[in-house]
Amino acid sequence: MRLVIATCSVDYLGRLTAHLPLATRLLLVKADGSVLVHSDGGSYKPLNWMSPPCRLTVEEPSEVEAADGTTAVWVVQAGTGRGAKASAKQTDQLRIRIHEVLHDTSHDLGVDPGLVKDGVEAHLQALLAEHITTLGAGYSLVRREYMTAIGPVDILCRDADGVHVAVEIKRRGEIDGVEQLTRYLELLNRDPHLTTGGPVRGVFAAQEIKPQARTLAADRGIRCLTLDYDALRGADDPLQRLF
């Protein structure tokens, strides 16, 4: 992990454009190749970022940039593929113009053991895997905790048409859970063994899903599913309900 505190401006170029004017910010360069730009506010979410796979190079500033006070330019280019099969995402680029570096350190954090889920989430995962047709008729389980380069997908399964489906399970579904599933789907859809029947689809499953998370999921083509914990474990019989 490399931590750089610098006075900089940031431009995101690609499917959309975004500009962060000159200010002092924290730049994180992680071992997986991701680059994140943070301010001193806004909680945990970065102002801008580039997810792996991507490549960071440092360039000399142009005459115009140098005249404006830029001492170095970080160019973070998305994607590593080449040729006709290269993803359209590979046009995305972060340009970070460094004016002054106030702090620059690197630390080896080692291998992270990953998130240890609380009892309810772990039970939901086990129960949904056992009753996989809760997702729909014809669904079949591939495996739980399907490992990717950035962490395990809670459940990987196939639908009735043989298309792979990645399921992220939360007790309370919020925007960060949708973001997490989005990152998993980006990686899974690069694996040709998983996309023979079509692109890997996503299901965001939780006991409660916030409206903002539903909106983001719908925008990204991810299906939301509200889970009934008692019904999954057989403690609630819908036929016995009065309402």
Side-chain angles (χ1 to χ4, degrees):
M1 172 82 73
R2 182 183 177 191
L3 298 88
V4 178
I5 298 175
T7 304
C8 62
S9 63
V10 183
D11 287 281
Y12 188 93
L13 309 171
R15 293 166 291 179
L16 52 84
T17 59
H19 175 69
L20 295 172
L22 193 65
T24 300
R25 300 184 175 92
L26 169 64
L27 309 176
L28 294 181
V29 183
K30 294 187 177 181
D32 64 4
S34 56
V35 178
L36 302 92
V37 181
H38 282 272
S39 67
D40 204 14
S43 187
Y44 64 91
K45 190 172 183 179
L47 299 171
N48 217 323
W49 69 93
M50 188 72 75
S51 301
C54 58
R55 183 178 66 257
L56 169 63
T57 57
V58 180
E59 299 180 354
E60 293 292 327
S62 66
E63 291 184 4
V64 173
E65 290 170 331
D68 191 39
T70 301
T71 58
V73 180
W74 287 16
V75 179
V76 188
Q77 182 67 52
T80 57
R82 296 182 180 180
K85 294 184 179 180
S87 168
K89 185 183 176 184
Q90 294 177 11
T91 61
D92 291 357
Q93 184 184 92
L94 269 183
R95 291 185 65 85
I96 305 173
R97 295 176 175 84
I98 308 292
H99 283 237
E100 182 183 7
V101 175
L102 305 176
H103 179 84
D104 188 344
T105 58
S106 296
H107 305 272
D108 184 359
L109 304 185
V111 178
D112 192 273
L115 178 67
V116 178
K117 296 179 182 292
D118 66 35
V120 174
E121 285 189 10
H123 292 157
L124 282 171
Q125 183 191 118
L127 288 168
L128 186 57
E130 182 180 353
H131 304 286
I132 198 66
T133 53
T134 302
L135 297 170
Y139 274 71
S140 60
L141 178 68
V142 175
R143 68 168 297 171
R144 294 171 55 190
E145 299 289 335
Y146 185 88
M147 187 57 64
T148 74
I150 58 173
V153 176
D154 287 333
I155 290 178
L156 185 68
C157 56
R158 289 190 181 94
D159 66 12
D161 298 321
V163 176
H164 281 93
V165 179
V167 184
E168 180 63 27
I169 301 171
K170 299 292 184 186
R171 181 172 59 181
R172 178 178 298 173
E174 301 186 15
I175 284 178
D176 58 345
V178 179
E179 295 280 10
Q180 182 180 359
L181 179 54
T182 300
R183 293 192 293 271
Y184 288 146
L185 289 171
E186 287 180 356
L187 284 177
L188 294 172
N189 275 305
R190 296 190 188 112
D191 186 341
H193 296 96
L194 298 179
T195 56
T196 53
V200 180
R201 300 206 304 266
V203 173
F204 187 52
Q207 290 179 284
E208 174 190 354
I209 302 177
K210 291 194 172 182
Q212 300 93 327
R214 286 186 180 275
T215 300
L216 182 60
D219 182 68
R220 297 185 175 178
I222 294 171
R223 176 162 70 99
C224 288
L225 176 66
T226 302
L227 297 175
D228 187 327
Y229 181 70
D230 288 334
L232 282 173
R233 65 190 183 96
D236 176 42
D237 184 356
L239 298 178
Q240 301 299 319
R241 296 177 183 171
L242 293 177
F243 304 98

